[in-house]
Amino acid sequence: MSTDPLVKTGRPLSKAETTRYARHVLLPDVGRDGQERLAASRVLVVGAGGLGSPALLYLAAAGVGTIGVVDADVVDLTNLHRQVIHSDADIGRPKTESAEAAVHRVNPHVEVVRHEVALDSANALAIIGDYDLVVDGTDNFPTRYLVNDACVMLGKPHVWGSILRFDGQVSVWWAGRGPCYRCVFPDPPPPGSVPSCAEGGVLGVLCAAIGSIQSTEAIKLLLGIGEPLVGRLMVHDALRQTWDTLTVRADPGCPVCGDEPTVTELIDYVEFCGVPGAAAHDEGDLPTVTVHEMVGELATDEPPLLVDVRGDEERAIASIPGAVAIHLDRFRSGEAFDELPEDRRVLIHCKVGGRSAEATRLALRAGLTDVANVEGGILAYLREIDPSQPEY
């Protein structure tokens, strides 16, 4: 399925720009007219991380005139194996600022608009509405559904990518021309069932494979050339080095883009996707301890049982001495409660506190009365108690 170009009118190129993009201008499907339309185009990249890095660099190199970057995060050392737009010198720097500097190193003719905010229901329509299309490089489900719904309501296509461990997916969602994200993924997965890259890991170079396809699809849409991935979902297995293409179709019953939509305005997407460890309406505040309080309790004559709900790979990087490993999945299945003492205090930790919060609530619901979540998890322990171990 070919489409009309998203950008109808171009911007004249300077002599230097014409030379820079000469290899594009030589392409019959691009030419000078197409390159001028790229110069007038506006693309929003949501997330300056693993997928956003190659997308931003290649869109800038290709001559996209205005690139918006949405990201509220700062550069962390653990980002650098995959987020190639950043470097050691950028650690602690806002990702939008680091990305802007990198884009201008690649191409000084590109205008960068920084949106140093978390995209949410209050600002998404205003931000996305100012661009021709969206490249979605986010790593969480609430933002994916938010971007999809906003693009459907604005009538804009968005180029979506997803990565985890050794696998990636990419497609173009465009309601009216094909399916939207909700047509294919109508419901978010159960909270906590899909690990984030921070929990499950990701092969760094996989970002280049998926992010470069996202850049290609964006350029094709802007220029109206080729056949975009509308109605097709590409699935990549890096270990087998295979690409599979699945046909996906619009759902007439889709609540956002279907024949009788029920979602006509942006909603609370965190609530829609669920929050691991969130309290039910009839539950009180979660019992918590700080890492300093944890250390103090462990040093007493009757120390609590410290439980680590992380996976083996995480514990191999850093661990708290004396912690007993009971994976979160065993709390979810109920197996863990056969191993937890009823007459001894239990403290539960994970990486940053989210998974252990879920485990703590499940333990309380199972009848344990003296159990608490360790705030900040092992990262807080490493930063405040034992900095000799590596963070991740």
Side-chain angles (χ1 to χ4, degrees):
M1 180 192 75
S2 60
T3 62
D4 293 331
L6 288 177
V7 180
K8 311 297 185 185
T9 305
R11 172 184 66 75
L13 303 178
S14 67
K15 178 182 177 181
E17 288 177 302
T18 302
T19 300
R20 174 185 288 268
Y21 307 124
R23 301 302 185 271
H24 269 184
V25 173
L26 291 173
L27 293 171
D29 287 340
V30 179
R32 188 180 185 97
D33 178 68
Q35 192 63 50
E36 290 180 346
R37 279 185 278 123
L38 284 180
S41 64
R42 301 175 61 85
V43 174
L44 180 68
V45 178
V46 182
L51 294 177
S53 290
L56 285 162
L57 294 174
Y58 275 107
L59 290 172
V64 171
T66 302
I67 300 177
V69 189
V70 179
D71 204 311
D73 204 358
V74 298
V75 181
D76 184 84
L77 180 61
T78 60
N79 302 148
L80 301 184
H81 88 291
R82 66 194 184 283
Q83 300 181 16
V84 295
I85 203 167
H86 313 297
S87 69
D88 281 85
D90 296 314
I91 292 174
R93 189 180 187 185
K95 287 186 177 179
T96 57
E97 183 181 305
S98 172
E100 179 182 29
V103 165
H104 284 156
R105 286 194 296 270
V106 170
N107 191 344
H109 302 288
V110 174
E111 177 185 358
V112 177
V113 181
R114 292 169 50 195
H115 302 279
E116 200 171 313
V117 297
L119 203 66
D120 58 29
S121 298
N123 60 28
L125 292 175
I127 292 175
I128 294 174
D130 201 30
Y131 294 88
D132 298 309
L133 64 81
V134 176
V135 173
D136 181 6
T138 57
D139 62 355
N140 65 86
F141 290 100
T143 308
R144 287 173 184 166
Y145 282 95
L146 167 66
V147 170
N148 175 79
D149 292 2
C151 285
V152 170
M153 293 173 190
L154 293 168
K156 297 180 184 291
H158 83 277
V159 186
W160 168 80
S162 174
I163 54 173
L164 181 63
R165 294 177 174 152
F166 300 97
D167 303 314
Q169 301 178 71
V170 61
S171 188
V172 173
W173 310 118
W174 196 356
R177 309 289 185 107
C180 78
Y181 179 75
R182 276 195 195 239
C183 291
V184 181
F185 303 102
D187 300 306
S193 62
V194 179
S196 66
C197 290
E199 298 169 358
V202 61
L203 183 68
V205 295
L206 179 64
C207 301
I210 302 301
S212 63
I213 290 180
Q214 288 183 279
S215 307
T216 303
E217 291 302 305
I219 291 170
K220 287 162 56 181
L221 289 167
L222 293 169
L223 299 181
I225 61 175
E227 296 186 10
L229 280 175
V230 176
R232 292 182 291 153
L233 173 64
M234 292 185 68
V235 181
H236 179 45
D237 182 334
L239 291 183
R240 294 192 303 127
Q241 203 54 262
T242 58
W243 291 90
D244 297 309
T245 302
L246 310 177
T247 298
V248 289
R249 294 180 174 85
D251 177 9
C254 175
V256 181
C257 75
D259 296 337
E260 297 180 357
T262 56
V263 178
T264 56
E265 59 184 22
L266 300 182
I267 61 175
D268 184 333
Y269 291 89
V270 174
E271 180 180 359
F272 171 68
C273 293
V275 180
H281 293 299
D282 59 348
E283 291 180 315
D285 294 335
L286 187 71
T288 61
V289 296
T290 67
V291 289
H292 289 280
E293 292 169 336
M294 176 196 73
V295 170
E297 290 192 38
L298 291 173
T300 63
D301 293 335
E302 297 183 357
L305 176 68
L306 179 62
V307 175
D308 184 344
V309 300
R310 300 174 301 150
D312 294 341
E313 295 82 4
E314 293 179 85
R315 291 196 303 275
I317 298 174
S319 61
I320 300 176
V324 175
I326 305 178
H327 196 277
L328 176 59
D329 286 344
R330 302 184 71 189
F331 281 82
R332 291 171 175 159
S333 68
E335 298 175 67
F337 307 124
D338 294 332
E339 303 177 38
L340 298 178
E342 297 182 1
D343 57 351
R344 183 181 178 188
R345 180 164 168 78
V346 177
L347 304 181
I348 305 177
H349 87 84
C350 62
K351 180 180 179 180
V352 295
R355 284 171 286 170
S356 55
E358 181 182 356
T360 301
R361 290 203 186 281
L362 291 171
L364 290 168
R365 292 168 188 168
L368 275 75
T369 57
D370 196 5
V371 58
N373 180 38
V374 179
E375 291 182 335
I378 195 167
L379 287 192
Y381 177 81
L382 298 177
R383 291 165 183 168
E384 301 178 31
I385 306 296
D386 181 13
S388 66
Q389 298 188 67
E391 294 186 21
Y392 68 99

